[in-house]
């Protein structure tokens, strides 16, 4: 009981209770075991990488920087909503302009009001979850059925020859990922002494650049910035990937494969680890909130007037997947690498959702999350192109 009480207290003090529940209701403590497991994973990452990792800070950092709070069936960030379908619950995310523009096609309507959510809510109520997610996938709109994903750890396949057991210090990491999960893993490796190169295309920048700069800096500090066109400069990018000891990406496999930039198209390097973080096992797009719903990582709120699921934390599948990915990479390094690691955010969320659920009410305080410690600003876009090119050239010369 002491362990349970301690977990509940930490959940409250972390700000996670503050971020979970109905907007006009009390903070929710029922998912305290999520933080308890995340703390164990963070401790394991810290031991292997020889750094301190604050699990609560990782899970709540964005909300603290952006001043977010709990909003029930609207995600803390506001882009995702839980909708009642004909036979269950689903989540739809409209975070990109393209998502909003595709809503009329989703609804098969000529036009939709400036606020599409009331129409979406009525439409969802008349359709089964499977039809909603299938049609959304056709239009590239992130959507998920509640609890559709099963618990599962990272999938690991052999990629190439192993190297000697090593730590991250001095390794070259090519971070092609964006948003939160992949960049978090890259940030932890940078803190552990790896040289991490954040790779962006001028045609498709990391979406967090357009948002709160404090969050972008927090998740991308200590990385070099390398801006390169994935189409016109594919050969140059391939050279970077060939020189890298670790590659982090969140693209759909076909997106890199058609440019011959996937793990099968890059010159082999002993011990290389290729980390692929996706929303699901299939090719659907995903963000942290809808992936959490797919895994069932929500809080089933029940009140006099409201019954059904509400969001848990802030895009919680993202930081949880980032922590699990960092642990998988650290473990792979201890085996000598040479592996392709696939982490699904929805499967990670389902693993945490399977933990025992406790009472939603507690006498413990539930303050808002605290902002993470100040960090150095992340490098400006393309600021390190020259340095990265020299590094790649030197690495290839050493291997000749």
């Amino acid at each position: 009981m002491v362990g349970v009480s301690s977990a509940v207290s930490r959940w409250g003090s972390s700000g996670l209770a503050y971020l979970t529940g109905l907007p006009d209701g009390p903070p929710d403590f029922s998912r305290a075991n999520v933080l308890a497991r995340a703390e164990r994973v963070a401790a394991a990452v810290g031991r292997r990488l020889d750094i301190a990792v604050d699990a609560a800070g990782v899970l709540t950092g964005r909300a603290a920087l952006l001043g977010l709070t709990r909003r029930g069936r609207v995600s803390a960030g506001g882009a995702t909503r839980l909708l009642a379908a004909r036979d269950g619950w689903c989540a739809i995310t409209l975070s990109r302009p393209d998502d909003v523009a595709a809503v009329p096609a989703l609804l098969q309507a000529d036009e939709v009001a400036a606020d599409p959510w009331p129409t979406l809510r009525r439409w969802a109520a008349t359709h089964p979850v499977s039809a909603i997610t299938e049609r959304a996938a056709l239009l590239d709109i992130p959507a998920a059925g509640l609890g559709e994903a099963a618990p599962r750890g990272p999938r690991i396949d052999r990629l190439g020859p192993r190297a000697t057991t090593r730590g991250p210090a001095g390794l070259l990491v090519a971070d092609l990922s964006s948003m939160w999960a992949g960049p978090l893993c890259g940030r932890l490796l940078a803190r552990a002494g790896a040289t991490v190169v954040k790779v962006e295309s001028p045609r498709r920048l990391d979406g967090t650049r357009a948002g709160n700069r404090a969050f972008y800096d927090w998740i991308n500090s200590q990385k070099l910035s390398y801006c390169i066109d994935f189409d016109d400069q594919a050969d140059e990018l391939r050279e970077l990937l060939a020189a890298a000891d670790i590659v982090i990406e969140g693209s759909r496999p076909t997106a890199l494969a058609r440019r011959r930039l996937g793990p099968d198209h890059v010159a082999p390097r002993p011990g290389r680890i290729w980390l692929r973080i996706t929303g699901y096992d299939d090719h659907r797009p995903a963000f942290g909130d809808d992936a959490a719903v797919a895994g069932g990582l929500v809080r089933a709120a029940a009140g006099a007037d409201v019954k059904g699921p509400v969001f848990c934390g802030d895009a919680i599948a993202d930081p949880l997947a980032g922590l699990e990915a960092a642990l998988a990479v650290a473990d792979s390094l201890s085996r000598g690498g040479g592996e392709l690691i696939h982490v699904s955010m929805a499967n990670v969320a389902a693993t945490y959702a399977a933990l025992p659920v406790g009472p939603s009410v507690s006498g413990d305080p539930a303050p808002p999350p605290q902002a993470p410690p100040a960090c150095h600003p992340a490098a400006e876009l393309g600021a390190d192109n020259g340095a990265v090119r020299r590094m790649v050239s030197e690495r290839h010369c050493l291997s000749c």
Side-chain angles (χ1 to χ4, degrees), residues 178-179 200 204-211 216:
S178 62
M179 304 307 288
E200 295 176 84
R204 194 174 183 87
L205 301 178
D206 186 329
T208 58
R209 276 190 178 274
Y216 181 85

Side-chain angles (χ1 to χ4, degrees), residues 62-69:
R62 188 182 85 142
L65 291 169
L66 274 60
L68 306 181
T69 187

Side-chain angles (χ1 to χ4, degrees), residues 231 253-261 265:
D231 294 308
T254 54
L256 293 181
R258 71 170 178 263
R259 298 176 173 89
R260 298 189 62 77
L261 294 172
H265 307 109

Side-chain angles (χ1 to χ4, degrees), residues 11-349:
W11 177 263
S13 62
S14 69
L16 284 161
Y18 177 88
L19 294 170
T20 306
L22 295 167
D24 55 353
D28 191 288
F29 289 78
S30 61
R31 289 291 187 180
N33 281 319
V34 168
L35 177 58
R37 173 177 169 130
E39 287 173 333
R40 293 193 294 272
V41 173
V45 172
R47 288 192 299 271
R48 287 160 175 77
L49 300 184
D50 196 25
I51 57 175
V53 183
D54 175 17
V58 166
L59 298 184
T60 64
R62 188 182 85 142
L65 291 169
L66 274 60
L68 306 181
T69 187
R70 60 186 179 277
R71 301 175 67 181
R73 294 201 184 111
V74 178
S75 64
T80 309
R81 305 213 179 182
L82 276 158
L83 304 175
R86 195 170 72 193
D87 58 351
W89 289 86
C90 67
I92 294 179
T93 299
L94 301 179
S95 66
R96 305 167 298 183
D98 287 350
D99 299 328
V100 178
V103 170
L106 178 67
L107 302 177
Q108 295 180 295
D110 293 332
E111 59 182 35
V112 177
D115 178 5
W117 289 112
T119 306
L120 277 168
R121 190 175 299 109
R122 292 191 295 270
W123 173 80
T126 64
H127 291 74
V129 170
S130 59
I132 294 170
T133 56
E134 288 169 10
R135 183 158 182 80
L138 289 174
L139 296 166
D140 213 32
I141 296 175
L146 176 59
E148 67 172 84
R152 196 193 68 209
R155 187 175 72 239
I156 300 174
D157 299 313
R158 282 299 297 272
L159 180 62
R162 296 194 187 280
T164 57
T165 300
R166 54 194 173 160
L171 298 184
L172 176 60
V173 180
D175 181 4
L176 280 68
S177 65
S178 62
M179 304 307 288
W180 197 350
L184 170 60
C185 180
R187 174 79 163 96
L188 294 174
L189 291 170
R191 287 182 52 206
T195 298
V196 180
V197 178
K198 181 169 182 62
V199 183
E200 295 176 84
S201 168
R203 305 187 194 194
R204 194 174 183 87
L205 301 178
D206 186 329
T208 58
R209 276 190 178 274
N212 185 291
R213 182 63 195 227
F215 173 67
Y216 181 85
D217 288 342
W218 174 58
I219 213 70
N220 291 294
S221 180
Q222 291 185 268
K223 299 177 186 178
L224 303 178
S225 176
Y226 185 57
C227 183
I228 186 168
D229 192 295
F230 284 26
D231 294 308
D232 296 342
Q233 298 171 284
D235 289 343
E236 184 179 333
L237 178 54
R238 193 176 301 108
E239 289 296 304
L240 169 61
L241 299 181
D245 300 292
I246 300 172
V247 176
I248 303 173
E249 52 104 344
S251 304
R252 303 174 200 183
T254 54
L256 293 181
R258 71 170 178 263
R259 298 176 173 89
R260 298 189 62 77
L261 294 172
D264 297 331
H265 307 109
V266 176
R269 183 179 185 85
R272 177 182 295 130
I273 298 169
W274 194 289
L275 172 65
R276 175 174 291 154
I277 302 178
T278 60
Y280 309 96
D281 285 330
D282 54 29
H283 302 328
R284 287 183 294 162
F287 289 87
D289 286 304
D290 56 87
V293 171
L297 188 49
V298 297
R299 173 53 185 154
D305 301 316
V306 180
K307 296 182 183 296
V310 297
F311 285 102
C312 173
D314 170 35
I316 198 165
D318 258 311
L320 290 177
L323 280 176
E324 296 283 347
L327 180 57
V329 169
D331 286 344
S332 183
L333 287 172
S334 72
R335 295 189 293 268
E339 296 177 337
L340 171 63
I341 303 171
H342 180 198
V343 175
S344 156
M345 292 198 299
N347 292 133
V348 168

